[in-house]
Amino acid sequence: MASTLSLIFLTLTPLLLFSHHQTLAQKAPAPSSGPANLTGILTKGGQYTTFLRLLSETQVGNQIDNQLNSSTEGLTVLAPTDNAFNNLKAGTLNGLSRQDQVNLILYHVLPKYYTLDNFQTVSNPVRTQFSDDGLNFTSQGHQLNVSTGLVETQINNALWAEFPLAVYQSDAVLLPPSLFGAKSPASAPPPEKSSSTTPADSGDKNKTKEAAAPSENSTGDSSKRNVGLGLVAGLLVVCMGVLS
Ligand SMILES: *[C@@H]1O[C@H](CO)[C@@H](O)[C@H](O)[C@H]1NC(C)=O
Ligand SMILES: *[C@@H]1O[C@H](CO)[C@@H](O)[C@H](O)[C@H]1NC(C)=O
Ligand SMILES: *[C@@H]1O[C@H](CO)[C@@H](O)[C@H](O)[C@H]1NC(C)=O
Ligand SMILES: *[C@@H]1O[C@H](CO)[C@@H](O)[C@H](O)[C@H]1NC(C)=O
Ligand SMILES: *[C@@H]1O[C@H](CO)[C@@H](O)[C@H](O)[C@H]1NC(C)=O
Ligand SMILES: *[C@@H]1O[C@H](CO)[C@@H](O)[C@H](O)[C@H]1NC(C)=O
């Protein structure tokens, strides 16, 4: 009898230690009460107001609720914190069309339920709800990273992990390369046939983008503009002098 008990104890101890390690410094997922509810989980998490707003504005939140009800595979959500959104370059979200905001949010949703352990052996790239781009997961010991090719961050805090829904904290907004990768030489599409394209063309292509998110080094430009304004004003004064 005693040996059976100690056997059970010995079997359970590593499991307990392991799960303790995994959930260290995090609120244990609340015991299941009612159906998994992404909004409720994120609200309770307390640092996901931007993500919650986007889920609601893009209707992806509703889509997830419906999918949870019908999916046999479950879903996994990598939820960026408010800090993660604050760390984005100014204008990043507003620079996206409505459809691309939807795509950005869908990129954080995986059409399958994954535990943290599942990620350690998953084969890359992992499909997301944004069909254009996948995510790569790499691990070393208990450290698990997710990478988009543009952004890499650690995943270790489970807000919820109970089939059919898993929700993990992401300390970065995962930027899909097909929306944000234009500037990366590695993923940039090959240039069009150079027959008729002039350098001026390619230079002009992304003026809109730069205008939407001005760089901090615009002093040079604006001082040039000021010189231009000064010249115009000077000419006006001269003209008025001539006229009067
Ligand atoms: C989700 O949870 C929130 C807060 O816990 C609750 O207000 C809401 O009614 C729940 N929704 C569903 C569909 O269960
Ligand atoms: C889930 O789907 C069933 C049937 O498709 C429906 O009766 C039920 O109301 C749905 N539940 C939720 C929470 O949407
Ligand atoms: C995870 O990413 C960090 C940088 O964010 C890096 O230092 C670390 O080596 C990566 N770990 C793995 C297992 O890829
Ligand atoms: C993701 O993993 C696949 C397969 O291992 C690899 O071909 C691809 O280059 C990786 N992409 C990134 C962005 O790391
Ligand atoms: C320029 O930016 C737009 C979006 O603002 C993007 O669709 C386009 O692919 C980009 N082109 C280049 C050459 O970077
Ligand atoms: C902005 O200008 C400063 C000083 O001229 C320079 O050190 C810095 O690298 C520039 N940053 C960018 C993004 O061009």
Side-chain angles (χ1 to χ4, degrees):
M1 185 62 193
S3 68
T4 315
L5 275 179
S6 63
L7 191 64
I8 289 171
F9 183 73
L10 284 175
T11 318
L12 285 179
T13 304
L15 286 175
L16 289 173
L17 285 175
F18 181 71
S19 67
H20 177 70
H21 178 84
Q22 293 263 320
T23 57
L24 203 66
Q26 85 190 34
K27 282 164 259 166
S32 138
S33 57
N37 170 350
L38 181 61
T39 307
I41 292 164
L42 291 176
T43 306
K44 212 174 281 177
Q47 48 173 343
Y48 301 95
T49 53
T50 308
F51 192 53
L52 279 164
R53 175 171 61 77
L54 288 167
L55 283 169
S56 156
E57 282 177 6
T58 59
Q59 303 285 313
V60 173
N62 289 340
Q63 193 180 321
I64 288 174
D65 286 342
N66 291 334
Q67 235 171 320
L68 277 176
N69 197 17
S70 56
S71 161
T72 53
E73 302 238 62
L75 287 175
T76 297
V77 176
L78 304 175
T81 59
D82 289 333
N83 249 340
F85 280 103
N86 289 339
N87 286 337
L88 287 178
K89 236 170 64 186
T92 303
L93 282 184
N94 293 337
L96 292 176
S97 68
R98 180 60 108 196
Q99 184 54 49
D100 282 345
Q101 287 189 357
V102 171
N103 289 335
L104 176 66
I105 300 307
L106 288 176
Y107 190 51
H108 292 75
V109 183
L110 317 180
K112 197 168 181 303
Y113 172 83
Y114 294 99
T115 64
L116 286 173
D117 281 352
N118 292 154
F119 281 129
Q120 311 246 343
T121 53
V122 83
S123 68
N124 288 323
V126 174
R127 217 153 44 92
T128 73
Q129 295 282 74
F130 175 38
S131 53
D132 288 6
D133 288 316
L135 287 168
N136 279 7
F137 289 83
T138 53
S139 60
Q140 237 164 34
H142 289 306
Q143 190 187 74
L144 177 69
N145 280 15
V146 61
S147 167
T148 76
L150 297 174
V151 176
E152 180 166 32
T153 190
Q154 273 186 47
I155 298 290
N156 50 35
N157 187 5
L159 299 173
W160 184 273
E162 196 175 289
F163 190 86
L165 178 64
V167 184
Y168 302 108
Q169 169 179 335
S170 174
D171 292 324
V173 178
L174 304 173
L175 302 177
S178 65
L179 296 186
F180 294 93
K183 280 177 181 162
S184 144
S187 61
E192 290 166 34
K193 283 167 205 151
S194 56
S195 54
S196 66
T197 16
T198 66
D201 277 350
S202 49
D204 278 345
K205 250 186 191 167
N206 265 2
K207 262 197 176 150
T208 48
K209 200 169 200 169
E210 273 158 32
S215 81
E216 279 159 11
N217 277 4
S218 53
T219 45
D221 285 346
S222 63
S223 65
K224 264 183 227 156
R225 216 176 298 132
N226 287 342
V227 170
L229 278 177
L231 279 176
V232 171
L235 278 174
L236 273 177
V237 169
V238 169
C239 289
M240 282 160 80
V242 168
L243 282 177
S244 60

